[in-house]
Amino acid sequence: MEMTRTIKYEADRVKGFGEEVMSVPGCEELKDCIQCGTCSGVCPLSIYMDFTPRQVMEMTRFDFKNEVLGSKTIWLCASCYACTVECPRQIKITDIMYELKQRAIKEKVYPRGLPTPVLAQEFTKMVHDYGRVNEILLATKMYMKTNPFAAMGMAPLGLGMIKTGRFSMIQEKIRGRADLARMLETVDEGK
Amino acid sequence: MKYSYYPGCSLKGQGRAYEESLLPVMRHLGIELEELPDWNCCGATAYMAVDEGKACVAASRNLAIAEKAGLQQVLAPCSACYLVLNKTQHLIHDYPHIKSTVDRAMASVNLKYSTDIPVRHPLDVLISDVGMDAIKQKVTHPLKGLKVAPYYGCQIVRPYATFDDQFNPTSMDRILEALGATVVQFPLKTKCCGGSLTGTLPEAGLRLSYIILKEAIKRGADVIATVCPLCLFNLDSFHGKIAAKWESTRIPTVYFSQLMGLAFGMTAKQMGLQRGLVPMKPLASAPACCAARTAAAAS
Amino acid sequence: MQSTKENTRIGFYVCHCGHNIAAMVDCADVAKYVKGLPNVVLSRDYKYMCSDPGQELIQKDIREYNLNRVVVASCSPLLHEHTFRSATAAGGLNPYYFHMVNIREHDSWVHTDRGEATAKAKALAHAAIDRVAFHKALETKTVKINPDALVVGGGIAGIHAAMTLANAGKKVYLVEREPSIGGHMAKFDKTFPTLDCAACILTPKMSEVGAHPNITLWSYSEVAQVDGYVGNYKVRVKRKPRYISEERCIGCMDCISQCVFKEPKFEDEFNEGLGKRKPVYIPFPQATPQIVVIDPNVCLNFKRAKGPDGTPIVSDKCKKTCVEACGDKNAIDFTQKEEIKEIEVGTIIVATGFKTFDSKRIPGYGYGIYKNVYTALEIERLVNASGPTGGEVILREGKNPDGSPKHPKSIGIIHCVGSRDKKTNIWCSRVCCMYSMKLAHLLKEHTDAEVYNFYIDIRAPGKGYEEFYNKLLDEGVHFIRGRVGEVTDWAMTPEEEGKLVIRVEDTLAGYVRRIPVDMVVLSSGLEPQADAQDVRRLFNMSCGTEGFFLERHPKLAPVNTFTDGIFIAGACQGPRDIPDTVAQAGAAAAEALVLIDKGYVEQEPNTAFILDEECSGCKSCVPLCPYSAILYDETRKKAHINEALCKGCGTCVGACPSGSIVQNLFEDEQIFSEIQGVLAYD
Ligand SMILES: Cc1cc2nc3c(=O)[nH]c(=O)nc-3n(C[C@H](O)[C@H](O)[C@H](O)COP(=O)(O)OP(=O)(O)OC[C@H]3O[C@@H](n4cnc5c(N)ncnc54)[C@H](O)[C@@H]3O)c2cc1C
Ligand code: SF4
Ligand code: SF4
Ligand code: SF4
Ligand code: SF4
Ligand code: SF4
Ligand code: SF4
C-alpha cells in the first residue's frame, strides 16, 4: 500500500508566499480570516474541490504555495462571488482565487489535464489576436488541446446549435486589433 | 435617453436571441440603443484568471470608446460583461496600480478614460428609467397562466449590488408580474449555473444546472426566465447529459426579454424563440395567429 | 496671592515608570535640562513617582526647599493627576500649584527614536515649567447630593440596582418602558449554566420591587427630559396611559375573561408573537405590577384612526363588558391621558438592556421565509412551561398524518447570527454560545430530537460554563464547527425531502455537509437598543462605535459614565450574561451610594467665569454651551455661567467676541507661556 506523508515541516512552506499574496491590493483582508467555513458552506463547487475555499485561505496564509497553486480548487471556482458577499470578514475570496489562478498560470504549475486553465489562456489569445471571441471556435480549440474525445460527445450539441442558427465558424475581428494588441503589450512592458 | 449598447461576444454568437428580443423590446419602450463602435470582448471571467492588468485594459478600451463618442451610459445585457465592466471601474477606482496600468495602455493609442460612465443592466434600466407603469401600459397580450421561475444567475447582483437586492433580487419578478405572468417562488434565483465549467468540468458544472432545472420543475414552473446568455446556454443545452446522469429535466429556458416581447404582442419568431433547444409551449393567452406561430417556431 | 512670578520656586520630577518611560526617554537628561530653566529650584528623576516614596519625596521637598510650584512629567493626568495634586496639598501647597506633563502616552509609548523622544520630553517639560509659574490658588467647590435615585429600565440589572439602593434606605424611582418589569430574563425558562428556573429566581425579586416601601415603580413609562447636574437632576417622566387606574386595579383579571373578544386574537409581544392576547391583557402571569393594560390599537372602544398627534381617540362603540366585569373596583378609565411626572434625584442608573439582532437581515438563514426557522427568543418561549404552548415544542409548519401538531425530530442551532460579522455586528455577543447550549439541552429534553450546534468557536469562559459544554457533549448533542452557509428547502436526496437543509462546512472533518433538520434555531446576537442614541443624548452619555453606552474607563470605571452621577449597568453597556449583569448592577448601586452617603461632591475648579464688566451682552456664548450652563440676565443684559453645570470644556471661552470669558487653569497667560515653552526648546 502506498503511504503519503501528510505532516508538514517548516521546510515545506514557501516562506513569504502568504505575505506576498496578502500584499496584493484587494487580498489584504485575508489576514482577518477566522476559518469559519462560510465560504465553503456557500460555495456551489466546494463539493468537488480538493481543498475547500476555507482551506485554500489558510494554506495561502501559511505559505503552502505548491499545494495551493497545484490545487484543482482554484480552477473549480466559477467566480460566482457567493463566498465574497457572505464572508463575515469581508475577504474578497473570489479575487484571491483570481490572484492564485494568475500565479499558477504564470508559474505553469496548474494541474495537467485540467481544461479550465487551458480555456482561460486560449480565451486571452483570441481576445489579443481578434478582439472578439467566438465561443464555438474557442470550445473546439480547448477540446483539441485537452480531450479530443470529449469533443465527440459535444457533436449533438453542435448540431443543435446549427439547427437553431446559433453556430458560426466565422471569427469576428475588430478594426482596432492593432490598437488593442498595443494596449495589452504595454501591460507586459510595465511589469 | 440614449444608451450605448455593448452586446458582448455572446449576443452576436450563440446568445443572439437575447439581442433579437431585447432590441425591439427596448425600442418599443422608447429606449434608444446605439451599438458601441468597434467594441471588443470584455474578457469575461477567463481573462481575470490569466492577467488582471490586461483584463482591465481590454475591458476599459470599451469604456474609453464610449467616452470618446460622448455617450453617457453603457448598457451591458450579458451578466459577465456587466460584471467585468463594472468591476474594471471599481478596480481602476480603488487601486492606483490598476489605474496607472490602464492609463499607460490608453496613452499608447491616444485614448483616455476617466472612469465614470455608468454601466447598466437592462433590468436596471427597465425598473429605474422606464418604470413599471410604462411597461404595464405596453402589455397587450398578458402572459396569463404562465408560471415563470425567475433566474438571475450569480453575476448581476454579486458582488456589486447596485440596482437590486444582493440576496433576493426582485426586479425581474416585478417585470414578469407586470407582464401578467405568475412568478414562482424560486430560492435558487442567484445560484450559480456552473458558468464555463459545464464545458470544462462537466461533472461539476452540470450538477449546478441540473439543480436549478429540477427545482424549477418541482416548483411548478412552465419556463425559466434568464438575463444571461451563458445561463441560458447552460440551462438549455445539456438536457441529454443531465437526463443520463440524474433525471430528465426538460423545461424551456428563455430570455426575460423574449417574454416581454410576447406580452407586447410581438411574435415568437420575432423574439427568436425558435433558437431555443427546448421549445416553449405556445401561450394560451396569445392570439390564435401568434399561438400558431409560437408552435411553428417551437417545432 | 501666595507668589508672583519673581519668587516662583519650582520643583520638577521626571518619572521612569519602570521601563515604560525610561526605555525611550533619557530621564536623567531631561532632569538635567530642566534644572537649567528659570525658577527651577530642584529637578529629579525617579523610578515610580506615584509610589508612596515618590509622593513623600514631593512633600519633603516642598518643605525643605520651600517650593511653591510642582511639576511632574509622567503618565496621563487621567491616571495620576489626582495623586500628585494630593501630594502637593499634603506638602502644604494649594493643589492647583501642581501641573502634570504626559511623557508616556504622548511620548515614550508612541515614539521609536530615543533621541527624539527625549527631546520631546524636554520641550513638554519646558512648557510646563513656563506655564506653572502663572498658576493660581483655586478652591474646589462642593455640591450637595439629593439622596433620591432614579433607575431607568426594569430588567434584571435595573431590578437589582433598585433593590440594592432601596435596601440601603434610599428612595428609588424605577422607570420601565413596558407594562411589566423583568426584561429579557422574564421570558426565559431556565438559565445557564445551572439550569435553575428563571421565574423562580426572578419573580420573587420582581414582587419585592413592587412591594418595597422605598421604591416607586413606574411601568409603561419613559424618561422624557433630564436637566441639572450631579446630585441635582430634575427629571420628567412620561407615563403612558394604560387606561387602567393603578390605584384601583387589584389584578383580578376579570376584565380579561369578560372582554367582548372571547378568544385571544392579537399578537402577543411577550411571547414573541407565538401566542395571542386580548385587547385588555397582562403580559405574563407574574407581571409586576399586577395591573392590566388596554391596547388602544385593537380595543373596540377606540377609533382606528388616531388623533393628529397620534393619540388614541375613544369611540365608545364597545359594549365594554370589561367595565361591567370590573364592577365596583371601577379601575377601567378610558379617559386616561399621558401624564408627565417631575422628580428630583441626585443619581441615575441607566439599565436599558439590549435588543436581539433582527435575523431577517441574513436572508440566507431563512427567517421569515421558512416557517420552521425560529429565533432563540421564540424558543425560550416555546420551551417555557408558562409559554404559549405550555412548554410543548411544536413546529409552526407541518402536521402529523393524523392532523396532530408535529414535533421536531432534528434541530439545528446556528450560532453567531449577526455577530462576529463585519457586515452586521463585528462583536461577539458573548452569551449566545451558552444560551445555544442551554436551548440545545432543553430542546433535547423536551423532544428527544437530534440536536446540532453549528459554531465558529465555543465561548464558554465562565464559572461552570466549560463543564456545561462537557455535559452537553455527554448528552449526545452534536457540535459541528463551521459557520452555516445557508438554510434552504430544496432537497438533493430522499431524506432531505420536506426538510430544511443546512449547508455547512464541517471544518474539523474537512467536508462540506448538507444536514436536513425539521427546525432551525437562530442564535441572534445582542445589539444596542434601537433608541440607544436618543437615550444617550437624554442622559448626556457617550456610545462606543458599536452603539452600546460607553463606560468612563473599561477597567477602572466600568459603571461610570462621562457624566458625574450617571451610571450604567447591564447589557446596555455591552453584551453580558445575568451573573455579570447583576454584579455590575450592584457596582453601579454602590457607586451611587458613595455619592449619596458622602452627601456632596467636589467640583473641579477648571470652570469658566464671565468678567461682568466686559460682557457686551451679545449672547454668542449662550447657545454654544453643550451643558446649558450659561444663563442670560435680560434685565442686566449680561451672561452668567452656572459653575455647578460648567464642565470646563472651554467652548464659550474661545467664542466670546469681547474676550470676557476666562477659564480657570486655562487663562491666556497660562496657555501662551505654555506655547512659548514648547517652542523654546530646539
Ligand atoms: C435568547 C437569550 C437567552 C439568554 N439566556 C441567558 C441565560 O440562560 N443565562 C444568563 O445568564 N443570561 C442569558 N441571556 C442574557 C440575558 O438576557 C442578559 O444578561 C440580561 O437580560 C441583561 O439584563 P438587563 O437588565 O441589562 O437588560 P434587559 O433584560 O434587556 O432589560 C432591560 C429593561 O429595560 C427596559 N428599557 C429599555 N429601554 C428603556 C427606556 N428607554 N426606558 C425605560 N425602560 C427601558 C426594557 O423594557 C427592559 O425591561 C440570554 C439572552 C438571550 C437573548
Ligand atoms: S468565510 Fe471568510 S473568514 Fe470564513 S473561512 Fe472563508 S475566508 Fe475565512
Ligand atoms: S466565487 Fe468561487 S470559491 Fe467563491 S463561492 Fe463561487 S465558486 Fe466558490
Ligand atoms: S372595551 Fe371592549 S374590546 Fe376593549 S377591553 Fe373592554 S370589552 Fe374588550
Ligand atoms: S458567544 Fe458564541 S455564538 Fe455568540 S457571538 Fe460569541 S462566539 Fe458567536
Ligand atoms: S459671548 Fe461674551 S460678550 Fe457675549 S454674552 Fe457671552 S460673555 Fe457676554
Ligand atoms: S466652559 Fe464649556 S461647559 Fe463651561 S460654560 Fe463654557 S461652554 Fe459651558
Side-chain angles (χ1 to χ4, degrees):
Chain A
M1 200 195 345
E2 205 191 308
M3 305 284 274
T4 31
R5 139 175 103 78
T6 54
I7 187 176
K8 290 288 174 194
Y9 296 103
E10 281 303 274
D12 295 325
R13 293 170 61 187
V14 181
K15 294 262 173 66
F17 174 69
E19 276 300 321
E20 215 178 286
V21 172
M22 288 186 285
S23 67
V24 173
C27 303
E28 305 96 330
E29 260 83 34
L30 175 53
K31 295 192 177 105
D32 296 352
C33 173
I34 53 170
Q35 287 292 298
C36 66
T38 309
C39 44
S40 323
V42 294
C43 175
L45 290 145
S46 54
I47 52 171
Y48 291 103
M49 292 172 172
D50 40 1
F51 303 105
T52 63
R54 170 191 61 85
Q55 286 171 320
V56 167
M57 296 302 118
E58 187 71 348
M59 288 157 67
T60 304
R61 216 165 36 172
F62 272 116
D63 304 325
F64 293 111
K65 174 178 174 178
N66 301 329
E67 293 79 351
V68 167
L69 295 191
S71 74
K72 285 193 259 186
T73 296
I74 54 181
W75 298 107
L76 270 155
C77 169
S79 312
C80 76
Y81 292 89
C83 50
T84 298
V85 299
E86 296 283 1
C87 169
R89 288 299 195 256
Q90 299 192 313
I91 297 165
K92 298 192 178 102
I93 301 147
T94 317
D95 290 354
I96 294 173
M97 293 289 186
Y98 273 130
E99 179 62 31
L100 297 172
K101 288 179 209 177
Q102 290 179 49
R103 283 166 188 265
I105 286 193
K106 201 153 81 198
E107 304 195 12
K108 301 210 177 346
V109 291
Y110 48 84
R112 299 298 129 176
L114 211 57
T116 333
V118 177
L119 176 78
Q121 291 174 88
E122 288 303 325
F123 190 105
T124 56
K125 269 194 212 120
M126 222 175 222
V127 174
H128 182 278
D129 295 348
Y130 308 113
R132 290 204 189 153
V133 166
N134 178 317
E135 293 144 305
I136 309 280
L137 293 176
L138 180 67
T140 317
K141 273 197 182 156
M142 180 197 79
Y143 284 121
M144 292 333 263
K145 280 215 164 161
T146 54
N147 186 356
F149 293 106
M152 309 288 279
M154 300 308 272
L157 179 57
L159 222 60
M161 292 286 118
I162 293 172
K163 252 171 80 181
T164 53
R166 290 150 72 191
F167 191 92
S168 159
M169 289 298 266
I170 302 161
Q171 175 67 57
E172 285 209 35
K173 302 178 182 114
I174 62 168
R175 273 176 280 123
R177 285 195 299 284
D179 273 6
L180 178 61
R182 173 76 202 106
M183 289 171 78
L184 292 171
E185 274 141 30
T186 63
V187 180
D188 287 328
E189 290 159 15
K191 273 186 191 143
Chain B
M1 194 77 174
K2 200 156 135 187
Y3 300 80
S4 164
Y5 167 55
Y6 177 83
C9 307
S10 275
L11 270 72
K12 297 289 180 190
Q14 66 80 15
R16 62 189 51 168
Y18 196 1
E19 180 177 271
E20 286 163 354
S21 56
L22 187 68
L23 296 184
V25 162
M26 288 304 226
R27 203 176 308 121
H28 195 64
L29 288 165
I31 296 278
E32 220 183 305
L33 297 179
E34 185 184 306
E35 187 167 325
L36 188 71
D38 206 37
W39 56 269
N40 60 268
C41 170
C42 72
T45 49
Y47 220 135
M48 290 267 176
V50 177
D51 189 320
E52 188 182 58
K54 286 188 183 171
C56 288
V57 165
S60 56
R61 176 175 173 271
N62 297 302
L63 299 169
I65 291 175
E67 185 171 307
K68 199 170 169 187
L71 294 158
Q72 308 296 316
Q73 316 225 13
V74 172
L75 186 84
C78 163
S79 296
C81 302
Y82 174 76
L83 174 72
V84 168
L85 294 177
N86 266 304
K87 181 166 176 172
T88 299
Q89 287 184 324
H90 276 270
L91 293 177
I92 295 175
H93 214 269
D94 296 347
Y95 304 127
H97 74 284
I98 296 285
K99 178 157 175 35
S100 59
T101 301
V102 169
D103 285 348
R104 204 171 39 241
M106 292 282 165
S108 73
V109 293
N110 284 324
L111 273 174
K112 193 173 100 326
Y113 180 54
S114 48
T115 78
D116 47 10
I117 291 189
V119 177
R120 305 185 58 196
H121 191 269
L123 284 180
D124 179 13
V125 169
L126 285 169
I127 58 159
S128 321
D129 301 3
V130 176
M132 224 46 86
D133 288 339
I135 295 175
K136 265 186 213 145
Q137 271 173 21
K138 298 281 183 200
V139 175
T140 52
H141 297 70
L143 307 178
K144 234 181 251 126
L146 186 70
K147 295 208 210 82
V148 188
Y151 175 66
Y152 297 74
C154 45
Q155 297 189 329
I156 67 164
V157 284
R158 280 198 306 259
Y160 313 112
T162 49
F163 66 90
D164 207 339
D165 187 89
Q166 205 158 28
F167 301 98
N168 182 23
T170 55
S171 46
M172 180 167 37
D173 298 37
R174 280 177 280 152
I175 293 173
L176 293 170
E177 270 159 15
L179 303 181
T182 308
V183 176
V184 172
Q185 149 81 8
F186 197 51
L188 290 92
K189 268 180 183 181
T190 63
K191 290 275 175 295
C192 174
C193 66
S196 57
L197 290 177
T198 48
T200 53
L201 297 165
E203 164 85 14
L206 289 183
R207 182 174 177 274
L208 302 186
S209 292
Y210 158 62
I211 294 173
I212 291 161
L213 292 165
K214 139 184 113 65
E215 274 306 303
I217 294 174
K218 199 164 165 193
R219 280 158 206 271
D222 301 320
V223 59
I224 300 174
T226 65
V227 300
C228 168
L230 184 56
C231 295
L232 184 126
F233 179 78
N234 280 341
L235 296 182
D236 186 42
S237 306
F238 299 104
H239 287 282
K241 290 194 171 182
I242 287 171
K245 194 158 172 53
W246 292 283
E247 60 184 303
S248 172
T249 53
R250 277 182 79 81
I251 174 171
T253 305
V254 298
Y255 296 106
F256 76 102
S257 46
Q258 294 179 308
L259 293 179
M260 288 185 82
L262 292 183
F264 292 169
M266 300 173 189
T267 66
K269 182 99 198 244
Q270 283 170 324
M271 290 297 100
L273 274 167
Q274 73 282 7
R275 298 198 190 278
L277 295 176
V278 178
M280 186 177 135
K281 280 208 192 73
L283 291 175
S285 66
C289 61
C290 293
R293 265 190 231 142
T294 319
S299 59
Chain C
M1 201 163 278
Q2 194 177 340
S3 63
T4 63
K5 204 169 183 300
E6 283 65 50
N7 56 25
T8 301
R9 298 178 61 79
I10 306 174
F12 175 80
Y13 305 85
V14 50
C15 179
H16 294 199
C17 196
H19 283 299
N20 277 305
I21 295 171
M24 194 46 67
V25 171
D26 183 344
C27 295
D29 192 35
V30 174
K32 197 169 129 224
Y33 169 77
V34 172
K35 184 93 185 68
L37 298 177
N39 300 324
V40 175
V41 175
L42 152 162
S43 178
R44 301 181 191 277
D45 63 301
Y46 192 77
K47 204 155 182 117
Y48 288 109
M49 281 308 295
C50 59
S51 65
D52 282 349
Q55 295 185 47
E56 276 154 24
L57 187 63
I58 297 176
Q59 295 168 32
K60 201 165 104 274
D61 286 346
I62 292 174
R63 292 193 204 96
E64 275 178 24
Y65 294 88
N66 201 19
L67 302 176
N68 56 24
R69 295 287 189 283
V70 175
V71 173
V72 176
S74 57
C75 51
S76 162
L78 268 179
L79 217 61
H80 279 309
E81 186 173 57
H82 186 74
T83 314
F84 297 128
R85 275 188 182 156
S86 305
T88 308
L93 287 181
N94 182 292
Y96 298 95
Y97 283 139
F98 164 79
H99 190 66
M100 188 160 179
V101 187
N102 184 350
I103 57 165
R104 195 179 74 177
E105 284 84 343
H106 288 181
D107 191 3
S108 68
W109 278 359
V110 292
H111 292 294
T112 47
D113 182 294
R114 190 170 157 88
E116 289 185 7
T118 305
K120 180 169 175 182
K122 289 180 189 170
L124 292 171
H126 194 144
I129 297 292
D130 283 7
R131 162 194 239 276
V132 81
F134 292 100
H135 275 209
K136 291 176 183 156
L138 297 170
E139 291 301 321
T140 32
K141 301 229 166 40
T142 60
V143 189
K144 274 190 69 175
I145 302 274
N146 180 327
D148 297 351
L150 165 67
V151 176
V152 186
I156 183 62
I159 291 173
H160 188 75
M163 284 297 295
T164 308
L165 289 167
N167 287 340
K170 310 303 168 199
K171 187 168 167 33
V172 184
Y173 297 93
L174 176 57
V175 173
E176 164 60 51
R177 179 158 63 186
E178 301 298 326
S180 170
I181 57 170
H184 282 94
M185 189 177 168
K187 301 190 177 191
F188 305 158
D189 181 38
K190 303 259 168 66
T191 55
F192 64 74
T194 42
L195 293 176
D196 36 2
C197 141
C200 315
I201 55 178
L202 180 66
T203 44
K205 268 187 102 118
M206 286 166 56
S207 354
E208 263 185 87
V209 165
H212 206 295
N214 286 345
I215 298 180
T216 305
L217 169 59
W218 284 335
S219 63
Y220 218 38
S221 304
E222 270 170 63
V223 173
Q225 198 184 335
V226 182
D227 290 311
Y229 48 91
V230 54
N232 301 275
Y233 288 109
K234 283 196 184 55
V235 181
R236 289 159 66 84
V237 180
K238 185 171 83 187
R239 304 220 56 207
K240 295 179 273 190
R242 65 202 299 159
Y243 305 105
I244 302 292
S245 155
E246 290 193 5
E247 289 73 38
R248 294 199 288 271
C249 175
I250 59 163
C252 66
M253 301 184 214
D254 289 348
C255 51
I256 302 182
S257 52
Q258 294 307 313
C259 171
V260 293
F261 285 95
K262 288 279 159 285
E263 291 302 322
K265 200 179 149 195
F266 306 102
E267 185 165 302
D268 172 358
E269 300 86 354
F270 185 79
N271 280 320
E272 300 291 315
L274 292 173
K276 301 269 181 250
R277 61 161 170 79
K278 294 186 180 182
V280 55
Y281 68 102
I282 188 148
F284 54 106
Q286 305 85 355
T288 306
Q290 278 279 307
I291 297 170
V292 300
V293 202
I294 291 179
D295 177 357
N297 296 312
V298 291
C299 168
L300 292 182
N301 213 34
F302 287 90
K303 292 190 180 156
R304 291 292 75 94
K306 299 275 168 64
D309 55 348
T311 47
I313 303 171
V314 177
S315 67
D316 238 355
K317 285 270 166 61
C318 184
K319 280 209 307 234
K320 293 192 283 275
T321 43
C322 56
V323 177
E324 270 167 46
C326 193
D328 296 344
K329 288 160 281 182
N330 207 9
I332 300 178
D333 175 7
F334 288 106
T335 65
Q336 223 173 48
K337 292 268 157 348
E338 185 177 292
E339 208 187 331
I340 298 284
K341 297 267 191 193
E342 287 194 23
I343 53 172
E344 291 186 1
V345 296
T347 48
I348 300 174
I349 296 175
V350 179
T352 48
F354 65 95
K355 78 171 173 58
T356 47
F357 172 81
D358 175 8
S359 302
K360 287 203 181 107
R361 286 177 60 197
I362 306 186
Y365 287 171
Y367 185 70
I369 304 170
Y370 305 123
K371 283 210 162 121
N372 288 338
V373 179
Y374 292 76
T375 65
L377 272 178
E378 287 174 335
I379 299 297
E380 291 283 358
R381 296 312 299 153
L382 217 49
V383 293
N384 198 308
S386 59
T389 56
E392 195 184 343
V393 180
I394 46 183
L395 290 169
R396 253 196 289 246
E397 190 175 55
K399 291 254 184 286
N400 287 321
D402 65 356
S404 61
K406 212 166 155 179
H407 303 275
K409 293 199 179 60
S410 50
I411 301 170
I413 303 180
I414 303 181
H415 289 215
C416 301
V417 177
S419 309
R420 304 186 63 189
D421 185 343
K422 282 189 186 168
K423 302 190 296 305
T424 50
N425 299 330
I426 182 64
W427 59 88
C428 163
S429 292
R430 215 172 124 177
V431 299
C432 13
C433 271
M434 286 304 296
Y435 83 54
S436 300
M437 290 198 271
K438 170 185 77 176
L439 294 176
H441 166 86
L442 293 174
L443 285 167
K444 199 164 178 70
E445 191 179 68
H446 283 59
T447 63
D448 205 26
E450 290 296 324
V451 181
Y452 300 85
N453 273 269
F454 300 93
Y455 68 98
I456 310 177
D457 300 291
I458 290 290
R459 301 207 160 155
K463 194 168 168 181
Y465 289 13
E466 185 69 16
E467 293 88 327
F468 188 71
Y469 178 20
N470 203 63
K471 170 182 154 75
L472 264 95
L473 289 165
D474 288 343
E475 285 174 1
V477 169
H478 309 294
F479 287 84
I480 294 180
R481 190 196 173 279
R483 186 173 173 277
V484 169
E486 58 181 352
V487 176
T488 60
D489 70 343
W490 44 274
M492 288 302 293
T493 61
E495 79 263 14
E496 291 178 1
E497 290 296 340
K499 304 252 180 182
L500 292 170
V501 181
I502 292 175
R503 197 175 194 271
V504 65
E505 179 183 17
D506 182 336
T507 62
L508 300 181
Y511 301 124
V512 173
R513 295 175 60 179
R514 288 174 60 95
I515 300 176
V517 294
D518 297 317
M519 175 187 245
V520 171
V521 181
L522 303 181
S523 297
S524 333
L526 275 56
E527 287 186 333
Q529 291 277 15
D531 63 349
Q533 289 296 337
D534 300 331
V535 174
R536 168 188 82 75
R537 260 181 293 248
L538 199 57
F539 294 99
N540 202 359
M541 303 186 289
S542 311
C543 283
T545 46
E546 71 305 287
F548 290 109
F549 300 143
L550 193 64
E551 63 286 344
R552 181 176 284 182
H553 190 284
K555 290 148 199 158
L556 303 179
V559 298
N560 301 69
T561 65
F562 287 93
T563 304
D564 296 328
I566 297 188
F567 306 96
I568 44 178
C572 63
Q573 186 246 358
R576 53 177 38 81
D577 57 16
I578 297 165
D580 286 4
T581 296
V582 170
Q584 214 189 14
E591 291 281 355
L593 284 171
V594 168
L595 286 179
I596 298 170
D597 283 353
K598 191 173 175 197
Y600 65 91
V601 276
E602 276 156 8
Q603 283 219 309
E604 275 286 293
N606 64 346
T607 48
F609 57 92
I610 296 176
L611 302 171
D612 200 57
E613 330 73 75
E614 318 227 323
C615 171
S616 69
C618 73
K619 293 195 201 174
S620 312
C621 56
V622 181
L624 290 178
C625 175
Y627 305 95
S628 314
I630 311 182
L631 303 170
Y632 189 73
D633 185 338
E634 286 291 347
T635 48
R636 295 180 52 247
K637 304 262 180 265
K638 299 277 183 191
H640 175 74
I641 292 175
N642 180 343
E643 263 179 349
L645 288 180
C646 173
K647 290 264 180 275
C649 73
T651 309
C652 59
V653 183
C656 176
S658 59
S660 43
I661 312 186
V662 181
Q663 188 183 355
N664 288 327
L665 287 174
F666 295 93
E667 293 186 26
D668 287 355
E669 50 188 0
Q670 294 168 345
I671 292 176
F672 289 134
S673 57
E674 191 171 9
I675 295 171
Q676 273 161 11
V678 177
L679 300 176
Y681 181 85
D682 54 18

